[in-house]
Amino acid sequence: NNGTTLYKIGDVTNGTTVFTDNVSDATCATGDELYTNGGILENDAPPRAKYIHMCDKVMTYAHIKEGSEVQPNTYIVSSEDDPDSVPAANRSTVEDTITGTSSAAGVRIILCQKHIYRSEGKFDDTGRGNLVDVRISDTAGCISNRSIVQCQGRIFWAGNDGFYTTEGNQVQKLTKHINTRYKLWRDNLSDTQ
């Protein structure tokens, strides 16, 4: 009664519509504690996010909004195999505004206005672990999440001054001779949106 420790009360047979809890508090307190009391992190609901992507059994929520606060440089990852369980501590903040997220060959990629990051690591159910953001480009950037395409272990996207690709370790520019035309196209695209 009014306690904060949760205990297992009983089992429900599949197909049963009613469970009557007639277990006294004294008997309940001698039973098994629920997993939330064993060091397991609370399963917080996913945050509102501009970009969402699943990679290696972990959901990434990027450019998030919590309450009225927008955090454009932050992303949060879910528990493994549980995309809607997102402990609040499973987060990382990069140095640039996130413009998209994807993955290449099982590697989580965070794309920003100027920088591109490889995100390494994950957390277990108790919160042990970490995320390490490795910058793989200082200038490529990504102009839109909609430009990101996954194909054969790589991603391709429209960057600040051309089209780029990565397999998660290094970024390569695909277009070398269309810089002027690309800049005009990008500028015209910005004007029409």
Side-chain angles (χ1 to χ4, degrees):
N1 185 18
N2 294 323
T4 58
T5 304
L6 304 176
Y7 296 93
K8 177 181 177 184
I9 299 296
D11 296 303
V12 177
T13 305
N14 196 12
T16 303
T17 57
V18 177
F19 176 76
T20 304
D21 178 4
N22 54 10
V23 178
S24 71
D25 286 346
T27 303
C28 177
T30 63
D32 295 331
E33 289 187 12
L34 291 182
Y35 71 93
T36 56
N37 298 314
I40 304 294
L41 292 177
E42 294 288 333
N43 289 332
D44 298 321
R48 292 179 64 192
K50 203 169 189 179
Y51 312 112
I52 300 172
H53 182 77
M54 176 71 89
C55 172
D56 197 25
K57 303 179 190 177
V58 174
M59 187 71 79
T60 302
Y61 299 87
H63 198 290
I64 63 171
K65 182 176 183 180
E66 293 178 311
S68 62
E69 182 185 358
V70 176
Q71 300 172 24
N73 299 25
T74 301
Y75 68 95
I76 299 178
V77 297
S78 73
S79 299
E80 190 170 13
D81 285 327
D82 198 355
D84 66 341
S85 297
V86 189
N90 292 7
R91 68 179 59 222
S92 184
T93 301
V94 294
E95 297 175 359
D96 195 3
T97 299
I98 299 171
T99 55
T101 181
S102 190
S103 59
V107 176
R108 184 173 38 249
I109 307 293
I110 306 297
L111 299 98
C112 301
Q113 289 177 343
K114 294 180 185 174
H115 310 306
I116 307 298
Y117 294 90
R118 175 179 69 240
S119 172
E120 299 174 345
K122 58 185 169 183
F123 296 91
D124 67 11
D125 290 339
T126 62
R128 289 180 302 207
N130 65 346
L131 296 173
V132 177
D133 301 311
V134 178
R135 192 180 304 171
I136 56 176
S137 175
D138 290 325
T139 58
C142 177
I143 65 170
S144 171
N145 188 62
R146 289 192 223 166
S147 73
I148 303 168
V149 177
Q150 290 179 292
C151 182
Q152 298 181 348
R154 302 184 75 79
I155 61 169
F156 301 83
W157 71 94
N160 291 325
D161 61 352
F163 292 93
Y164 289 87
T165 185
T166 187
E167 83 298 351
N169 290 310
Q170 59 185 15
V171 172
Q172 295 174 313
K173 187 173 183 183
L174 298 173
T175 53
K176 298 191 189 307
H177 303 294
I178 63 166
N179 291 346
T180 303
R181 286 181 292 164
Y182 181 87
K183 183 178 181 329
L184 289 172
W185 171 78
R186 189 192 70 205
D187 291 346
N188 287 335
L189 183 67
S190 299
D191 291 342
T192 60
Q193 292 183 357

